[in-house]
Amino acid sequence: MTGSLPGFIDVVRNLNSPTLLEDNVITRAKAAGKRIIFYGDETWVKLFPKHFVEYDGTTSFFVSDYTEVDDNVTRHLDKVLKRRDWDVLILHYLGLDHIGHISGPNSPLIGRKLSEMDSVLMKIHTSLLSEERETLLPNLLVLCGDHGMSEAGGHGASSVEEVNTAMILISSAFERKPGDVRRPKYIQQTDLAATLSIGLGLPIPKSSIGNLIFPVVEGKPMREQLRFLHLNTVQLSKLLQENVPSYKKEPGFEQFKVSERLHGNWVRLYLEENSSEVLSNLGSKVRRQYLDALRALSLSLSRQAAQYDVYSMAVGTVLVLEVLALLLVSGPRALSGKAELDVPLPSPAFSLLCYLLPLGLAALHVTVCTSAGGTCYLCSLPWLTAGGVMVLVSTLLCAVLSALTGMFAGGKRLSKNPPQCNSRSSELDLLILLGTVGHTLSLGASSFIEEEPQTWYFLVNTLCLALCHEIYRNCFLGDDCAPQRCPHAGEDFDGVAAAPQGKSPGPDVWELDRASRRPSPLGALRGPDRWMVLASPWLILTCCRLLRSLNQTGVQWAHRPDLGHWLTSPDHKVELSVLAAVSLIMIFVLVQKRCSLASKVAMAFGLLGIYCYRVAIGNLLFPWQQNNKDISKGITEARFVYVFVLGILFTGTKGLLKSQITADDFTVKTVGLWEIYSGLVLLAALLLRPHNLPVLALSLVIQTIMTQFVWRPLRHNAAEVTVMHYWFGQAFFYFQGNSNSIATVDISAGFVGLDAYVEIPAMLLTTFATYTGPVLWASHLVNFLTSEASSGSALSHACFCYALICSVPVSAYIIFVTSLRYHLFIWSVFSPKLLYEGMHLLITAAVCVFFTAMDQTNTKS
């Protein structure tokens, strides 16, 4: 309705639309006395409050409802079409969009909904034709979609199916001869506002960059055609003058001036009542000139749509770099046995420099803000707040410099010590370092962002091969260095000495740190254990290869058929039902082993309820069913599962609280943590679509294999285990079918078990369903380190390492986005990835807080 280009942040603003203050068609129509009636998506009511003489809004985000949301619009039609007391009627139907989000464009519900929309369109058109026969005034019926739909049913990316949608203009004023078949004309969505404004006799919105849809007026006399085009070019030229200082040099502005001169010549010939061929040819020339000027002006304005606050972005980038540098510099101390960061106090001369630095930055801030010609966010802040930002920048810079000074001073002392032999750690650490650096650098290219799933698949596969090499070397060749045995750890295969029941393992038990952990020789293993250790990397590789075939993601491969599409087709519902049942059984077997009896029962009933829920909504079949025609929303079944999820989480939380009261009860703490993890697994099984249940089951399989046959026998340190969890969490994010496009967000997961739109639960459930892979792997990391290590330093190491490995790519990516802000794909590729990384960083912060909360044995950390 504004005719302007949206900013990327409008994606977030759509969740709670504020009043639209920008000039628009609706506000202009109301000011002109037009009576407007609206029914449908309540976003219109939020954007244009007090603009409609009558309205009835429906909740747009409750995607589980695709029936009532449209019936509430259609029920007003008969009454309002009989009335003649309105000028504009707006109907926004949501059912088709909701069906796409729930079950995709190939759902059998799509056909029925399109037939329903057909009947609605016929009713409106018939009524308008009947009215025209009485009033002899033409009406205009506009049928359009605000977006398209991807193969998965979502939207928000830049694929052809999502950004291209139909628009049909129906009116008796259009002259169409029998047999006149025209090819569809491609227009921009911004063109609609200018066309509606001219059609309603209203001024075009000031910020509109759209062009008049010329076929709408080509049946008018030449004089009116040129007048409409002139109005449009004048509006665009004024907008260009306001936004581009050198507007006179723009080709569109020069064409506009030429068009005006030619238009003046045509008007003089017209007033002379010259109806010769010269007038017609000149009119056609002026029309072509106007259309060329419109296209050039619109293109120039589109390029100017993105205005950046460079000063504020530079300050933010400096802050990000300082925090990243502090994390990197503090890494060696934080990952040491003490698990602490010591920033030495600077010398007096250096301190004086740190005191003077804020004054210098404040002077720079005053200079920039007083000389800045445009608006600047940082300059608009109160002086006290801006001063605080300058002090923060100065303090972080001084801290980084102090830490660097201490690190170099300590490095000279450490260089005198002989190096220790640890070839295995250096090889694995080199892979982790190269993988992290390579992935971070790849974020600077749009193609690598679009195909980031392939990067993580490659890294995970390479990691498995590196582990395979390590296992085989230790089993058959032994280690080059004599392994250092942990005191009192014994030869227990599980890698942890048995602690007395009900007592916390003492300081003699195996601790996961780099100083004390070395690979144990695996050549002594015999029987099934030996063969399972040798086969474990290949089993993990097989699982990863199967998961890659389940969901094609990215851009180049997203359109190709995959196992997920085959399973979700109506013809293969039986196969999907069998696969879902097997996956649920595997989940129960793998999760229940460490749960209490009550949690085992709750888990069994919860998984059964998940299957019943999917049957109720028509995704799966019971063995005795041939087909499922009785489809419901499954509200009761989903809430039945939620009860067991909350029960398991409550049981686990109670165990954790009990372990804090009785500090020596280590077993209760580990069981409590595992039950919280089990509750999250049950919740994930409920929210994931049925064809993605194997992703969850194989995730548990890989976690079990890695725990029993890789991490324990090879005795990796906390940092290595943490990085492996992070890598697998990222890979499983894409195994779910996610990508760096907003279109792959499954918002239907936010409404499982809800019969109305409730904002907070819907947002939390959608976020959890999207980030199921990273969340479950981070939760498993907490469980593994808590059960394997008695010292709090292991969790502290993991917390810092997890934060570091997330912060490095995010910080680098912020710098990439800032430097590439004029890139062609800044909105379609780079910005969605930044949104995903921001959400992932918030989840990482929550994980780190969870790590710290669990670390009760080391108060210093």
Side-chain angles (χ1 to χ4, degrees), residues 183-297:
R183 292 179 60 84
K185 177 181 175 63
Y186 281 93
I187 63 169
Q188 298 297 320
Q189 202 171 45
T190 52
D191 297 341
L192 183 59
T195 305
L196 291 179
S197 297
I198 290 176
L200 291 170
L202 303 172
I204 300 174
K206 295 179 180 179
S207 58
S208 171
I209 65 169
N211 299 338
L212 170 67
I213 303 173
F214 184 71
V216 174
V217 299
E218 65 179 348
K220 298 289 184 180
M222 180 65 72
R223 181 167 177 259
E224 292 189 33
Q225 292 182 31
L226 297 181
R227 183 170 66 89
F228 293 149
L229 292 173
H230 180 254
L231 290 173
N232 198 179
T233 50
V234 168
Q235 176 263 325
L236 289 179
S237 64
K238 288 182 178 179
L239 187 62
L240 186 72
Q241 295 177 41
E242 295 173 358
N243 291 275
V244 181
S246 58
Y247 64 91
K248 291 183 179 180
K249 298 180 180 179
E250 293 290 333
F253 188 79
E254 296 175 359
Q255 291 176 335
F256 163 64
K257 288 300 182 182
V258 173
S259 303
E260 273 197 326
R261 287 195 297 270
L262 290 175
H263 191 185
N265 296 335
W266 185 90
V267 171
R268 282 192 292 272
L269 284 175
Y270 178 79
L271 293 177
E272 294 174 359
E273 298 183 359
N274 190 338
S275 58
S276 64
E277 186 178 351
V278 175
L279 181 66
S280 175
N281 292 337
L282 181 58
S284 300
K285 182 179 180 180
V286 175
R287 183 174 58 194
R288 287 195 302 271
Q289 191 70 32
Y290 268 132
L291 291 174
D292 292 340
L294 282 174
R295 283 191 289 268
L297 288 169

Side-chain angles (χ1 to χ4, degrees), residues 477-494:
L477 301 178
D479 203 284
D480 295 336
C481 301
Q484 299 181 13
R485 312 302 295 170
C486 300
H488 305 289
E491 299 295 333
D492 189 353
F493 170 71
D494 287 341

